Amino acid sequence: MKIRKPNEYEPFNVPFNAWNMISIPEIVEVVSIDLRENEEISLHTMNMDVLFYITEGNGTFLINNKQYTVSKGTIIFVDPTELRGWKCLNNQHIKVLVIKLRPLQGN
């Protein structure tokens, strides 16, 4: 069993606020992201399936050359091959819980 409290989260060295909440290598990683106005995460892929859950605010989710405005309560599933990113435009602020999972069989 692993229990981690907020004061134990490890910050990432990135140009926006992000913390590794818990990680079990090659199985799961849980990350908290806090993007503010005019911050973005450039398009990228990962070697894991990813669930994004919007816990606060609104922002722009980019995937496969499309843009979606998302807000609190939205959940998104992305497989490893999909090109994805985030943007916060004028007056946007978003907090996202990111759950990275070992790819499901058949992906």
Side-chain angles (χ1 to χ4, degrees), residues 2 8 26-27 30 36 42 56 68 92 95 100:
K2 284 189 176 188
E8 298 172 325
E26 304 302 317
I27 296 173
V30 181
R36 302 202 175 262
S42 59
E56 189 176 311
Y68 299 91
Q92 288 184 325
K95 291 186 179 182
K100 303 175 188 179

Side-chain angles (χ1 to χ4, degrees), residues 26-28 46-51 76-82 84 99-107:
E26 304 302 317
I27 296 173
V28 66
M46 303 196 105
N47 61 352
M48 300 179 89
D49 288 320
V50 180
L51 284 168
I76 302 164
F77 174 81
V78 179
D79 74 47
T81 63
E82 294 180 290
R84 82 295 300 265
I99 303 171
K100 303 175 188 179
L101 304 162
R102 178 179 20 193
L104 301 172
Q105 296 298 325
N107 275 359

Side-chain angles (χ1 to χ4, degrees), residues 9-51:
Y9 299 164
E10 300 164 8
F12 284 103
N13 185 18
V14 292
F16 51 87
N17 291 319
W19 301 267
N20 182 336
M21 299 169 76
I22 196 163
S23 182
I24 303 169
E26 304 302 317
I27 296 173
V28 66
E29 181 178 17
V30 181
V31 174
S32 175
I33 294 174
D34 182 353
L35 287 177
R36 302 202 175 262
E37 185 174 4
N38 299 317
E39 291 182 329
E40 66 179 72
I41 299 173
S42 59
L43 292 170
H44 63 283
T45 59
M46 303 196 105
N47 61 352
M48 300 179 89
D49 288 320
V50 180
L51 284 168

Side-chain angles (χ1 to χ4, degrees), residues 35 39-41 59-62 67 85-89 92:
L35 287 177
E39 291 182 329
E40 66 179 72
I41 299 173
T60 303
F61 180 65
L62 313 165
Q67 293 188 31
W86 290 93
K87 268 198 250 189
C88 275
L89 304 173
Q92 288 184 325

